[in-house]
Amino acid sequence: MIIKRKVAVVGAGMTKFMRRAKETPKELAFQATRQALDSCNLQRKDIEAVTMGTAPDAFDGVHMKGEYLLDGSGGTNKPYMRVYVGGGTGVFAPIHGWMQVASGLSDTCLVVCEEKMSVTQPHPQAAFNSIYDNFIERQLGVNLVWIFGLEMHRYMKRYGLKKEDIARVSVKNKNNALDHPCAQFKQKVTLDEVLDSEVLAWPVQRMDISPPSDGAVALVLASEEKAKRITDDPVWIDGVGWNLDSSFWTNRDLYYPKYVEYAARMAYKMAGIDNPRKQIDFAEPYDPFNYKELHHTEGLLLAKKGEAPQMVKDGVRERDGDQPTCPSGGLLGVGNPIAAAGLMKCAEMFWQLRGEAGKRQVKNHPTTAVAQAWGDLMQVGTVVVMRR
Amino acid sequence: MVGLGETQARAVTPEVSYRELIYGAAVRAYEDAGVSHHDVDAFIASSEDFLEGTSIFDEYVPDQLGAALKPCFTTTADGIFSLINAVMLIKTGAADLVVVEAHSKASEVVDLAGVEKLGLDPNWVRPLDIATDTIAGLEARRYLHDRESDDEPLARVAVKNRNAALLNPLAAYGSRLRIEDARESDPVAPPLREHYVAQPADYASVLVIAERQKALQLAGDRAVEIKGVGFNSGSPNLDSRRLGECDAAAAAAKSAFRLAALNPGDVRFAEVDDTYSHRELMHLEALGLSGDAAAELKSGMFGFGGDLPVNVSGGALGFGRLYEAQGLARVGEVVKQLRGEAGRRQLDGKVALAHAWRGIPTETHAVAIFEGGEAP
């Protein structure tokens, strides 16, 4: 595998993540797009192609939601495409943007992810019932909290974990988010508060979960030659990987996300990483639930199987730790507008690697980072490695 | 392009699920290419949630394609967009063998018109409570008005494509339709009549696409080269564009011709979107394949014996309206023609164009230009 063209990230923008935005989905996409273009002094005319990422149409009740979001994302009269891997979309959209540029079809590509969940009344969780198999599962009235409860239980059982081993992730991420100007969750949290929060579907409690949100994020990608003209400080997309497992989630052992490992191995191979535990300075693993961050750091080969909780306890994952995870505050703290949340993780890598993360800045000038998202029926992993 | 697998387009397919439909196309494609699903580097599917009746439909793609635990993603667009993604992925150097899938199970959608209506802007257009066919009718009226024409050209498109479909064993709506019958069919949204609007069908298509060297090893002169691709979108707002024009189709074609280093004059036959009769004419003009499509249609230019046969597959009017799979039916015909495997429909010519449009209210287009190898 020889990748023919290098692709850089040269700009990023994001809206505040919030429970209920007054803006329309198009307007949210516009705000993030405008910011991303302003951040690198580009105009819409400088952009050759646009990639859109947004999760279920059911949130907005708009058929062909990608087409609807087209003008808000700067896609009018341009090559524009929406790609989709459920919750993994936010990290897959920049992979598609990378494809647009690395293939040579475009020299600049805007990647926009938007989600407006608050339109679904009374709660967006109801829309998720429609993701289940229409013959054998949907009739059970299941939602995501229940099935992720099964996965969380399996993970805890396999390694004999206690709730506090998992709850520490919520404390770390929600407190990290206090330093993020776009964060939805702005409240200092203690371990006891997480452990005492309302039980939703055991072992899942309210503070184990990220909040549903409205928001949008955008990145500007450019080819090597273009990037050098746009900025002195590009961040390179050095590895991409994605992997989708079978739809039959009930037929696999939920203790370990093998598809995340395969996606990570694909990205690491492309980036020339053979010892991720040593070569990656910080990570933004997908954390819609606290146990997922642990699951995913193992899938990303940043921890041995079953050892991720101990590393959180030992402080390895703190912002000033040996290998921080979710210095942004993650989905648990910043918020979880599905596709936009994944792209927020990529934007965080961009800001951190450029040393522009302000109070969130990871120390010692990080040079290599990985972001990952996950989704579908506990089924897909998407991974991007960036280097300064 | 080294492998093609399709199922027959039919108005209803009650005996199979969408999974079985896709499986049928996949095994044919892998057999045609002489590959196993184990050999494939990446899979790209095409679907829209509301047409499937399932959110995050990309969940339900991998098993019937043999894609579980492989790189696999979905494009929420016509299959030609997925084909373009396959081309891009191969050109990055990250993959050598990529599978593309699209399908239609329109017969299972209880209210197709209702779903299409949900594609209209929820704040500004949907409150007007107009059907997508009505908007297409306005467009057709504009097109005919600008050319001071009655609806005869629309009838001619329908007659050409429905009759062509009689020669295509995969097409769902072949018929010996006459111009007067078409012009007397029930009004849908004047000037559009029943026969000027494509009727839905079920269908699945799977393509196997390989890097050049690998393609030649696998398929020899049966390999069909993808010379150029392009895609482009006009404004999704009905109020922000002039009905009856499609600049985005022109832009998509321009990119594809530029990559292919070819001109519209090099195209020997074409398969273009004809969801509505007037759209075939609009698209031919926008793609640079015709100056005055109505007159050239009447002269016989787009028929079997013409200079530029168009939609000899039957098009959407004769083959069936296939939603996200519609473009791959166009591509499938091009591949069969360029391989010399089109039977009674066989055309001469080595360069062909396939085009897809995403339907009302979009102005989103994709174009691919193909060249065949030496005649077998």
Side-chain angles (χ1 to χ4, degrees):
Chain A
M1 175 172 57
I2 298 162
I3 301 304
K4 292 171 186 158
R5 280 174 28 121
K6 285 184 78 175
V7 180
V9 185
V10 296
M14 76 182 277
T15 68
K16 276 195 164 182
F17 286 2
M18 56 207 126
R19 178 63 185 92
R20 196 178 306 284
K22 287 180 180 168
E23 290 84 351
T24 64
K26 281 178 197 273
E27 288 166 335
L28 286 172
F30 173 82
Q31 286 181 6
T33 302
R34 183 73 262 168
Q35 271 191 39
L37 289 172
D38 286 348
S39 78
C40 52
N41 294 314
L42 292 183
Q43 299 291 325
R44 202 178 80 85
K45 66 174 167 49
D46 302 316
I47 297 298
E48 291 180 21
V50 180
T51 291
M52 163 55 58
T54 183
D57 296 17
F59 288 147
D60 308 74
V62 175
H63 174 47
M64 305 196 287
K65 187 163 59 152
E67 301 290 340
Y68 165 72
L69 289 166
L70 193 159
D71 51 351
S73 320
T76 309
N77 300 121
K78 293 193 190 295
Y80 170 92
M81 211 182 308
R82 172 187 174 201
V83 287
Y84 200 20
V85 275
T89 301
V91 174
F92 188 75
I95 296 177
H96 187 265
W98 169 86
M99 275 169 56
Q100 299 238 40
V101 178
S103 66
L105 252 66
S106 293
D107 283 328
T108 48
C109 180
L110 191 60
V111 178
V112 187
C113 286
E114 183 277 344
E115 211 72 66
K116 188 163 189 193
M117 303 171 74
S118 63
V119 193
T120 320
Q121 299 287 335
H123 193 282
Q125 196 53 240
F128 281 117
N129 181 247
S130 59
I131 75 167
Y132 293 93
D133 185 284
N134 44 1
F135 298 113
I136 54 179
E137 290 165 359
R138 211 175 292 178
Q139 290 77 359
L140 300 172
V142 278
N143 65 36
L144 293 183
V145 181
W146 292 14
I147 68 162
F148 297 165
L150 293 175
E151 194 180 56
M152 186 164 166
H153 218 155
R154 176 69 191 134
Y155 181 62
M156 290 169 65
K157 174 86 180 159
R158 171 79 189 221
Y159 299 116
L161 300 172
K162 298 200 173 61
K163 265 316 290 281
E164 42 277 38
D165 296 321
I166 287 172
R168 280 188 199 97
V169 175
S170 291
V171 176
K172 171 176 72 72
N173 292 5
K174 285 178 191 287
N175 290 343
N176 277 351
L178 292 173
D179 296 328
H180 202 306
C182 298
Q184 176 174 353
F185 196 91
K186 288 269 192 188
Q187 189 182 324
K188 196 152 176 60
V189 169
T190 64
L191 188 60
D192 284 342
E193 282 170 333
V194 178
L195 292 172
D196 291 342
S197 64
E198 180 188 359
V199 173
L200 299 180
W202 186 256
V204 180
Q205 293 168 267
R206 184 170 294 281
M207 299 274 267
D208 295 332
I209 313 185
S210 57
S213 318
D214 296 350
V217 180
L219 295 185
V220 182
L221 310 190
S223 63
E224 186 170 10
E225 195 177 318
K226 278 270 163 121
K228 284 176 182 164
R229 293 173 192 279
I230 297 168
T231 176
D232 292 334
D233 205 4
V235 169
W236 303 100
I237 296 181
D238 269 4
V240 301
W242 68 101
N243 199 280
L244 181 66
D245 202 352
S246 163
S247 322
F248 299 97
W249 60 276
T250 48
N251 295 12
R252 60 176 161 263
D253 193 330
L254 299 175
Y255 88 98
Y256 182 72
K258 187 172 274 176
Y259 44 91
V260 171
E261 181 191 324
Y262 285 12
R265 286 188 185 282
M266 179 176 170
Y268 293 159
K269 189 178 167 197
M270 201 180 287
I273 289 172
D274 50 17
N275 186 353
R277 179 69 188 84
K278 295 276 170 252
Q279 292 164 306
I280 288 171
D281 296 322
F282 72 93
E284 281 282 340
Y286 200 59
D287 63 328
F289 285 55
N290 46 11
Y291 80 98
K292 288 309 309 183
E293 173 171 322
L294 303 169
H295 225 212
H296 292 149
T297 44
E298 292 174 17
L300 288 166
L301 310 171
L302 303 176
K304 290 192 180 128
K305 286 183 182 179
E307 292 182 5
Q310 187 62 40
M311 292 172 86
V312 173
K313 192 176 180 183
D314 294 345
V316 175
R317 302 306 186 196
E318 295 296 328
R319 207 180 267 149
D320 55 2
D322 181 43
Q323 190 177 46
T325 52
C326 293
S328 64
L331 281 54
L332 288 162
V334 186
N336 186 9
I338 313 286
L343 196 59
M344 177 274 287
K345 288 181 169 290
C346 295
E348 182 71 8
M349 288 200 289
F350 173 72
W351 288 317
Q352 290 280 359
L353 291 171
R354 299 230 296 191
E356 294 173 353
K359 284 203 282 181
R360 305 190 308 287
Q361 187 62 48
V362 170
K363 299 293 179 294
N364 301 325
H365 309 290
T367 58
T368 307
V370 63
Q372 170 259 341
W374 160 93
D376 291 0
L377 291 164
M378 304 183 280
Q379 182 185 1
V380 69
T382 50
V383 175
V384 168
V385 174
M386 284 189 200
R387 278 207 186 93
R388 188 169 178 185
Chain B
M1 185 103 68
V2 296
L4 166 68
E6 296 170 281
T7 67
Q8 189 181 33
R10 286 163 51 199
V12 290
T13 49
E15 76 287 2
V16 283
S17 69
Y18 68 83
R19 280 190 174 117
E20 291 162 314
L21 201 67
I22 296 168
Y23 178 78
V27 290
R28 287 180 180 95
Y30 301 161
E31 179 64 24
D32 186 42
V35 299
S36 145
H37 63 276
H38 296 294
D39 305 327
V40 177
D41 295 322
F43 298 81
I44 305 173
S46 328
S47 65
E48 281 285 2
D49 281 1
F50 283 12
L51 287 167
E52 307 297 340
T54 296
S55 288
I56 319 187
F57 184 77
D58 76 278
E59 295 168 350
Y60 295 98
V61 167
D63 298 281
Q64 59 271 25
L65 287 173
L69 281 178
K70 288 270 202 170
C72 180
F73 72 91
T74 286
T75 317
T76 59
D78 183 277
I80 295 184
F81 285 85
S82 293
L83 179 145
I84 294 171
N85 279 333
V87 171
M88 288 201 285
L89 186 56
I90 290 170
K91 283 171 83 77
T92 65
D96 282 342
L97 194 65
V98 180
V99 160
V100 168
E101 179 274 341
H103 65 278
S104 161
K105 199 75 161 83
S107 67
E108 288 183 358
V109 183
V110 177
D111 180 8
L112 267 172
V115 169
E116 286 186 25
K117 224 168 166 175
L118 292 174
L120 303 174
D121 185 293
N123 297 318
W124 301 107
V125 183
R126 216 184 287 167
L128 303 174
D129 196 23
I130 45 176
T132 48
D133 282 351
T134 307
I135 296 165
L138 291 172
E139 224 179 49
R141 183 177 292 284
R142 178 85 235 176
Y143 182 85
L144 296 175
H145 175 81
D146 286 348
R147 286 155 186 78
E148 296 176 349
S149 171
D150 60 13
D151 70 336
E152 189 191 308
L154 307 192
R156 284 186 187 277
V157 172
V159 167
K160 171 175 73 69
N161 295 357
R162 294 287 292 273
N163 278 278
L166 277 177
L167 296 181
N168 187 347
L170 294 186
Y173 295 105
S175 121
R176 197 152 299 292
L177 185 68
R178 296 177 309 165
I179 290 176
E180 13 345 335
D181 298 334
R183 294 189 75 179
E184 282 166 18
S185 61
D186 290 342
V188 173
L192 290 181
R193 292 176 177 275
E194 185 191 345
H195 286 307
Y196 309 165
V197 180
Q199 301 303 308
D202 296 352
Y203 165 82
S205 174
V206 171
L207 310 176
V208 184
I209 297 169
E211 178 276 329
R212 189 187 180 88
Q213 289 307 317
K214 188 160 196 147
L216 292 172
Q217 283 165 20
L218 282 168
D221 57 16
R222 277 183 90 238
V224 168
E225 187 176 356
I226 304 167
K227 297 287 285 182
V229 293
F231 58 111
N232 203 285
S233 294
S235 169
N237 296 323
L238 297 172
D239 47 276
S240 304
R241 62 175 200 250
R242 195 180 139 89
L243 291 179
E245 279 179 4
C246 38
D247 295 348
K254 200 173 154 193
S255 318
F257 281 117
R258 183 171 47 81
L259 279 177
L262 292 169
N263 295 309
D266 298 318
V267 173
R268 296 273 77 89
F269 61 93
E271 288 278 322
V272 306
D273 182 276
D274 61 330
T275 300
Y276 301 99
S277 275
H278 69 284
R279 275 274 167 180
E280 176 171 309
L281 303 171
M282 275 171 66
H283 293 150
L284 284 170
E285 291 173 4
L287 295 167
L289 298 175
S290 171
D292 179 350
E296 287 169 340
L297 172 70
K298 195 170 180 180
S299 76
M301 178 165 153
F302 305 135
F304 269 113
D307 286 346
L308 181 76
V310 173
N311 287 334
V312 295
S313 65
L317 290 163
F319 199 103
R321 171 111 198 253
L322 307 171
Y323 293 87
E324 307 319 334
Q326 195 150 302
L328 291 197
R330 306 284 78 76
V331 171
E333 179 67 14
V334 166
V335 170
K336 281 175 280 187
Q337 291 284 357
L338 293 177
R339 284 172 165 182
E341 295 171 358
R344 287 200 290 163
R345 308 186 308 287
Q346 188 61 50
L347 301 168
D348 293 331
K350 284 293 166 203
V351 175
L353 178 148
H355 158 261
W357 165 60
R358 296 210 64 210
I360 303 285
T362 82
E363 204 47 74
T364 291
H365 300 264
V367 172
I369 298 166
F370 302 87
E371 186 171 338
E374 292 305 306

